Amino acid sequence: MTATIETLVAEQLATYFENQTMTPTLTELKAELTADLNEAALDQVQAGRTPAAAVATAFADFGDIETVITQVEAENGPTTTEVEPPVMTVNENGVYVNGGRTLKADANGVSIGDGAVKADRNGLKLGKLVMNEDGISYGDQTKEMPDWQSTVAPFNLGLAYQDNLRLANEQRFSAIELTMLTVSYRSARVKVLPTNDDSDDVIIREYMQPNNPAYYAHCSETGTNLTVTQGKVPFLIPLRVHVQVLVPASFTGDVTVASKSGTVLIAGLSSVKTLALKVASGNAELADLTVQTTTVDLASGSLKMGHVQVTDQCRLLVRSGRVRLAQVSAITFTVKATSGSVTGNDLIGAGDWQAHSGALRLAWQQLTGDLNLDAHSGAIKVSLPATASYRYELESHSGRITTPTRAIRDRVADGYQTGTVGANAQYQIHGRAHSSSIKLS
């Protein structure tokens, strides 16, 4: 039976490659297709189909093989473009490419294309466009910076269920006794959403192209834990996977999501105890959530949170990328961005905020505790309600400090200021900017 399957797959697959120049890449692709189609056809035989019907179903489910071949050729084909190698000089003063005309990076900043693009202590210059903390200018025309306190439109949960790929796989598991849900994907677009019916099941829906049972998720139940792990990811075959993990409203356990490459959306959940998200590369969005504790670890990409209520701790670590929050509340925030800016609007809470390479721009609706702010190479801008009352201690190593006009200043020195705003100051704001300015308003 296996030999018959292999023969039928080989004969049908050969028709797709008969007019191709078999490069090493296409040879490897053909071998990978052969293995995957054989495996899919054998699954069909075990389901009761004849060998011929099983092979036909495997090819039909897989999709357009000619498109796969064309895409792999385009992505891995040889290139005939010859580029003259640049002349690079590296010394104690900096890095120079083609005598500094192409690239110059030294203590004064970075210049590309004889200064067409330039970044230094005066801001960022793109041709005639200049952006710095004073605003945006183009030639002789100057405009103020965009309003970073602008409101965010409500999240449309209904659109999140729509998908442009064909549904390939659906699995259901009872959530009645479930306490832990773990989702792990290597390369996919992952959405964790509430069930849109009265079901008490966790539903796994995988939309994919091409379609092969070998690519389906592996799901396992151990005690009260459910683990969902992505199936096989082919080496050359361009696979697109969109997964929806639907969680019933009755689920009050913990959710952990891990993604190696791809986007992640978690939205609409209101009873989850602990939410943990880890993304190696890709963008993540949390929207319309109520959780007890949230932990996000994002290695490369951006993080967006909107309309999120955390009743205890909110811990966010983004190593490379922007953090944008809108209408987010937590008892305590612990936010750290290694490379990228942090922007927050309509915030409620307190805690520690740190940006190593980027600015901190935070607009607070309500301050409920002490606030510690640290920006290593960017500005700190904090906006609080006019009725807010607090003490502050601000330190800027190489920039100016601006505080509200109603502030009572206790001590003012070069790059240092303490004082009080309001008559009933309960909380302390401590801000430190190592190489830029601080503004409280």
Side-chain angles (χ1 to χ4, degrees):
M1 184 69 72
T2 301
T4 302
I5 294 292
E6 291 177 351
T7 299
L8 291 172
V9 168
E11 289 175 352
Q12 188 165 340
L13 196 58
T15 62
Y16 292 94
F17 289 89
E18 58 186 359
N19 296 320
Q20 301 288 339
T21 301
M22 293 306 292
T23 63
T25 297
L26 287 187
T27 300
E28 191 172 354
L29 173 63
K30 185 178 180 181
E32 189 170 28
L33 286 168
T34 300
D36 286 355
L37 290 166
N38 279 329
E39 185 176 351
L42 287 172
D43 288 341
Q44 295 295 328
V45 168
Q46 292 177 359
R49 288 183 170 84
T50 64
V55 171
T57 301
F59 273 83
D61 286 345
F62 188 89
D64 190 348
I65 293 179
E66 290 182 350
T67 300
V68 171
I69 294 172
T70 301
Q71 185 174 346
V72 170
E73 279 189 308
E75 294 177 352
N76 298 275
T79 176
T80 57
T81 304
E82 294 185 3
V83 179
E84 184 178 348
V87 178
M88 179 181 291
T89 302
V90 181
N91 55 38
E92 66 274 9
N93 297 319
V95 178
Y96 306 88
V97 178
N98 295 335
R101 297 184 302 277
T102 302
L103 171 69
K104 179 173 69 174
D106 54 25
N108 296 319
V110 177
S111 173
I112 301 174
D114 273 334
V117 178
K118 192 173 183 180
D120 55 24
R121 66 182 60 188
N122 297 316
L124 174 64
K125 174 179 176 291
L126 304 172
K128 294 183 178 180
L129 180 68
V130 178
M131 293 177 283
N132 54 36
E133 63 183 24
D134 296 323
I136 301 175
S137 63
Y138 185 83
D140 297 329
Q141 300 179 353
T142 301
K143 294 184 178 181
E144 294 182 354
M145 292 292 287
D147 183 10
W148 52 272
Q149 300 182 43
S150 58
T151 58
V152 176
F155 181 79
N156 192 331
L157 184 61
L159 292 178
Y161 295 96
Q162 300 179 12
D163 206 285
N164 59 353
L165 297 182
R166 183 176 61 177
L167 179 62
N169 178 42
E170 179 174 305
Q171 302 182 64
R172 290 174 174 260
F173 301 88
S174 174
I176 294 176
E177 297 183 0
L178 200 65
T179 61
M180 169 66 79
L181 172 62
T182 302
V183 179
S184 178
Y185 273 76
R186 286 170 286 169
S187 179
R189 187 177 74 182
V190 179
K191 295 180 180 180
V192 182
L193 307 169
T195 54
N196 48 8
D197 55 29
D198 295 330
S199 172
D200 287 327
D201 293 343
V202 172
I203 305 171
I204 313 300
R205 290 178 180 160
E206 291 183 298
Y207 303 79
M208 65 177 61
Q209 179 65 38
N211 180 10
N212 190 317
Y215 306 154
Y216 295 171
H218 303 301
C219 302
S220 61
E221 292 182 282
T222 304
T224 59
N225 299 342
L226 173 62
T227 301
V228 181
T229 306
Q230 184 171 7
K232 178 182 178 181
V233 177
F235 178 68
L236 278 177
I237 299 171
L239 175 65
R240 296 172 63 198
V241 177
H242 299 170
V243 59
Q244 294 182 11
V245 180
L246 306 184
V247 181
S250 58
F251 180 71
T252 58
D254 302 327
V255 175
T256 297
V257 179
S259 173
K260 187 174 182 180
S261 175
T263 61
V264 177
L265 168 66
I266 304 175
L269 306 180
S270 59
S271 303
V272 170
K273 181 180 178 182
T274 299
L275 175 61
L277 172 61
K278 185 172 185 178
V279 178
S281 177
N283 298 331
E285 180 176 3
L286 309 182
D288 287 358
L289 297 175
T290 300
V291 297
Q292 181 175 321
T293 302
T294 298
T295 301
V296 177
D297 186 341
L298 183 59
S300 178
S302 64
L303 172 64
K304 180 180 178 181
M305 295 176 63
H307 307 280
V308 176
Q309 180 180 2
V310 183
T311 60
D312 194 355
Q313 304 285 327
C314 180
R315 304 182 185 92
L316 310 177
L317 171 61
V318 178
R319 293 179 176 83
S320 178
R322 292 193 304 166
V323 179
R324 292 176 294 169
L325 313 180
Q327 297 183 16
V328 179
S329 64
I331 298 299
T332 304
F333 286 96
T334 303
V335 180
K336 181 177 181 180
T338 304
S339 177
S341 61
V342 179
T343 302
N345 301 319
D346 289 333
L347 302 175
I348 298 177
D352 300 329
W353 300 71
Q354 180 179 356
H356 187 270
S357 178
L360 288 174
R361 302 184 183 94
L362 307 176
W364 292 87
Q365 182 185 129
Q366 182 182 357
L367 196 62
T368 61
D370 293 343
L371 199 58
N372 298 305
L373 310 169
D374 190 298
H376 192 273
S377 59
I380 296 176
K381 296 183 179 181
V382 177
S383 173
L384 295 115
T387 57
S389 183
Y390 53 89
R391 299 183 304 278
Y392 65 84
E393 181 182 18
L394 307 176
E395 180 181 359
S396 177
H397 293 178
S398 59
R400 62 180 180 269
I401 296 175
T402 305
T403 54
T405 55
R406 64 191 183 100
I408 299 175
R409 296 165 180 81
D410 300 327
R411 180 180 175 188
V412 178
D414 186 21
Y416 183 80
Q417 187 178 139
T418 64
T420 304
V421 175
N424 301 305
Q426 291 181 285
Y427 307 121
Q428 173 89 17
I429 297 178
H430 180 269
R432 179 191 298 176
H434 296 259
S435 61
S436 194
S437 59
I438 301 177
K439 181 178 181 180
L440 291 184
S441 62

